[in-house]
Amino acid sequence: MAGTKSRRRGEQLEHAILDAAWEELREVGYARLTVEAVAARAGTSKPVIYRRWAGRAELVIAAWQHRAPTEHRTPDTGALRSDLLVLFTTIARRADAMMNEVVAGVMSEAFRHPEVAALLRERLVADSPLAGTVRRIVDRAVERGELLPVRLPSRVTRLPLDLIRNENVMCGTPPDDDVLASMVDDVYLPLLRGLAAP
Amino acid sequence: MAGTKSRRRGEQLEHAILDAAWEELREVGYARLTVEAVAARAGTSKPVIYRRWAGRAELVIAAWQHRAPTEHRTPDTGALRSDLLVLFTTIARRADAMMNEVVAGVMSEAFRHPEVAALLRERLVADSPLAGTVRRIVDRAVERGELLPVRLPSRVTRLPLDLIRNENVMCGTPPDDDVLASMVDDVYLPLLRGLAAP
DNA sequence: TCAGATAAGAAACGCAACGTATCTAAGGGG
DNA sequence: CCCCTTAGATACGTTGCGTTTCTTATCTGA
C-alpha cells in the first residue's frame, strides 16, 4: 500500500477495476457512481478505464457480468409449492434492490446510446437458464401427480423473474416473504393449474 | 408573435411550460431533455422553471400528469378473450415507448433524490382504475358462463400493466399484436381459469 | 391613477462529472 | 539491454444542472 509501486497490467488490472466498480455500485449505487471514484478505488486513473470501456454504462455492465452468477440450482423439496417458493426466494435474493437500480440507470443511458441497450438486454435475457429450472420443477410435480402434464410457453418460464424485477423496480426494495408467497399462490400456481386444464 | 412582448404569468405560463416539456419529451426523450431546452421552447427562462419545480424529474412528472389521462373504458365485446385483447391493446397503446423511457429515466433519478421515487410510484399506481376494469370484464365472463366465479387478488388485476411495462422496458418498443396475444393466451387466460378451479 | 409589490425574463456563475489529450516512466518482449 | 507498449498522473474542454443577481413588465390596491 505505502511503498508498493508495482504497476499492474492486463487481466490483473482489469479485474481490479471491475471489482472496484462493483464495490462502488454496492456502496453508492449507479446514479452516484462516477468513473473517477472507480479509478481512485482501483488505484488507477480514468484514461486506463476509458481505454477499455466506452463509457460508464459499459463499465458497469462489465462489472456486473464479472460478478453476478447466472446459474440456478434446481430446488427439490418434494412439493411444487415449496419448490416454487425456494425458486422465487433465490431469484429475489440475487435480484436485489441494487441490481434493479443498475438496470434502471443503465436503461436510462441506453436511450442516449442505443448500442448500450443491446448489451443490457443481452445481459437480462442471459438469465434464460431459468427456463430449464422451471421446467424441471414442473416435470417433477407432474411425475408426483401434483399437476397434469403441461406445455410451458417461454413467457411463462420468464414470468418469475419478470414479476420480481417489476416488484423491485416499483417498490425500491426487494420483495419480502409475504410478497413472494403471493406471487406463488396468487399468480404462479393458479397459472400452472390453468395451463394444465384444457 | 413577432412583436408580442406580453409577459405571461400564473396558470397560463405554467401550462406553456408543461406543454413545452411534453413536446420536448416526445421529440428527444427523457435522457436528452434539458431544462434549458424546455425554457427556450416555452419562451421563458430557467429560473422561472426552478421557481415552480425542484428539478428535472419533478418537471417531467408534472408534464406527464398534465397530459396523460388515466381513465379506461371497459371493453365489452361479448367474449372474455376478445375483451382481454382489447384491454391489453389499449394499455399497450397508451404505455408506449416514450412513456417507458420516461419511467426509466425518472426511476434512475429517483435513487438520487428519494422524494422523487414517491412521486413516481404514486403516478404509476394511480393506474389502479385498471383493477375495476379487470373485475368488470371477469364478472361479465362469469355471467355468460365462460368462467367459474373467481376471487381476484390485486396482484392479478395489476398483472396486465406489469406485463406490458416489462415488455416495453426490455424491448424498447411497444409490444406488437402477437406479443399481446401471447400475454392473453399464454398467461392471463390460463391464470383466470386456474384461479377459478379449486 | 399612480405606487409599490410581485414575479418574469436575461445573463452569468459555480459545480460536478463526463470524456479526452498530453506527458512521464515502468516493465515486458525482442 | 534497448524499445515499445501502456499504466498512471494531470490538466483540459464541454455539457448541463441548479443558483444568483439584476432589470423590468404587469398586477393590485389605495
Side-chain angles (χ1 to χ4, degrees), chain B residues 97-140:
Chain B
M98 191 222 64
M99 177 179 126
N100 283 279
E101 201 221 312
V102 173
V103 172
V106 174
M107 231 157 51
S108 81
E109 214 118 334
F111 292 94
R112 231 184 297 218
H113 307 290
E115 71 279 9
V116 172
L119 269 182
L120 174 65
R121 209 160 302 136
E122 200 177 297
R123 182 67 194 79
L124 286 172
V125 182
D127 242 284
S128 52
L130 175 61
T133 306
V134 171
R135 291 211 163 81
R136 280 190 291 279
I137 290 175
V138 169
D139 284 349
R140 275 203 287 264

Side-chain angles (χ1 to χ4, degrees), chain B residues 7-9 44-45 47 51-52:
Chain B
R7 189 178 271 190
R8 295 156 301 175
R9 299 190 147 219
T44 182
S45 62
R51 266 173 221 139
R52 285 162 210 276

Side-chain angles (χ1 to χ4, degrees), chain A residues 124-144:
Chain A
L124 286 172
V125 183
D127 241 280
S128 51
L130 175 61
T133 306
V134 172
R135 289 211 164 82
R136 280 189 292 279
I137 290 175
V138 168
D139 284 348
R140 274 203 289 262
V142 170
E143 281 165 27
R144 284 190 300 263

Side-chain angles (χ1 to χ4, degrees), chain B residues 1-14:
Chain B
M1 7 188 66
T4 340
K5 292 281 298 183
S6 84
R7 189 178 271 190
R8 295 156 301 175
R9 299 190 147 219
E11 286 231 335
Q12 193 194 353
L13 177 58
E14 192 149 325

Side-chain angles (χ1 to χ4, degrees), chain A residues 32 101 104-105 107-108 111-112 121 124 153 155-156 162 165-167 169-170 179 182 186-187 190-191 194, chain B residues 31-32 101 104-105 107-108 111-112 121 124 153 155-156 162 165-167 169-170 179 182 186-187 190-191 194:
Chain A
R32 295 187 183 210
E101 202 221 311
M107 230 158 51
S108 81
F111 293 94
R112 232 185 293 222
R121 208 158 303 136
L124 286 172
R155 190 162 300 278
V156 171
D162 290 344
R165 188 187 310 115
N166 188 70
E167 193 74 16
V169 157
M170 304 301 284
V179 170
S182 116
D186 294 342
V187 177
L191 172 56
Chain B
R32 296 189 182 206
E101 201 221 312
M107 231 157 51
S108 81
F111 292 94
R112 231 184 297 218
R121 209 160 302 136
L124 286 172
R155 191 163 300 279
V156 172
D162 291 344
R165 187 186 312 114
N166 190 70
E167 194 73 18
V169 156
M170 304 301 283
V179 170
S182 115
D186 293 342
V187 177
L191 171 56

